[in-house]
Amino acid sequence: MPTEKSLTPYNTLEEIRLRKDQLSTEIERDNEQIGGLWNELFHKQESSSKGEYVATLIANSVTAIDAFLLVRKLMKNYGSLLNFFGGKSKKKLKR
């Protein structure tokens, strides 16, 4: 979307050079800001306490148990994972 400055007509080469310098300064400032945000985004955050470590361990354990129970349920209903992905089931499914 054009800004009011971009709609301003330039009459001399000096005005164009000044505007170019302003834009270069703004772009450089934005690049530094984006670089800082990018580094924050991908910087590994260290666990600061034993409590956070235990909470993460519990959350990962619950996820693993949930995945195990899901696979077990699928194997019980379909016989094996191969049957789940298109093979024939040992049990006949109700229609």
Side-chain angles (χ1 to χ4, degrees), residues 64-75:
I65 291 169
D66 187 41
F68 172 77
L69 292 175
L70 175 66
V71 169
R72 185 171 163 236
K73 181 179 179 180
L74 290 174
M75 297 215 26

Side-chain angles (χ1 to χ4, degrees), residues 6-31:
S6 66
L7 297 177
T8 305
Y10 299 104
N11 298 319
T12 65
L13 286 176
E14 186 60 32
E15 290 176 353
I16 294 172
R17 285 188 190 110
L18 287 174
R19 181 64 180 144
K20 179 184 171 188
D21 291 340
Q22 286 175 343
L23 290 174
S24 295
T25 304
E26 289 176 18
I27 289 171
E28 185 64 33
R29 186 180 64 239
D30 289 345
N31 282 339

Side-chain angles (χ1 to χ4, degrees), residues 12-63:
T12 65
L13 286 176
E14 186 60 32
E15 290 176 353
I16 294 172
R17 285 188 190 110
L18 287 174
R19 181 64 180 144
K20 179 184 171 188
D21 291 340
Q22 286 175 343
L23 290 174
S24 295
T25 304
E26 289 176 18
I27 289 171
E28 185 64 33
R29 186 180 64 239
D30 289 345
N31 282 339
E32 290 175 6
Q33 184 180 14
I34 290 170
L37 292 173
W38 186 263
N39 287 337
E40 283 180 28
L41 181 64
F42 289 104
H43 186 289
K44 183 178 179 182
Q45 295 179 351
E46 304 278 332
S47 294
S48 60
S49 70
K50 192 83 166 177
E52 289 178 9
Y53 175 75
V54 171
T56 303
L57 184 65
I58 290 171
N60 290 339
S61 299
V62 168
T63 302

Side-chain angles (χ1 to χ4, degrees), residues 70-71 74-75 77-90 93:
L70 175 66
V71 169
L74 290 174
M75 297 215 26
N77 288 336
Y78 295 101
S80 75
L81 289 178
L82 295 175
N83 291 338
F84 179 71
F85 291 110
K88 293 183 179 178
S89 174
K90 291 181 183 178
L93 298 176

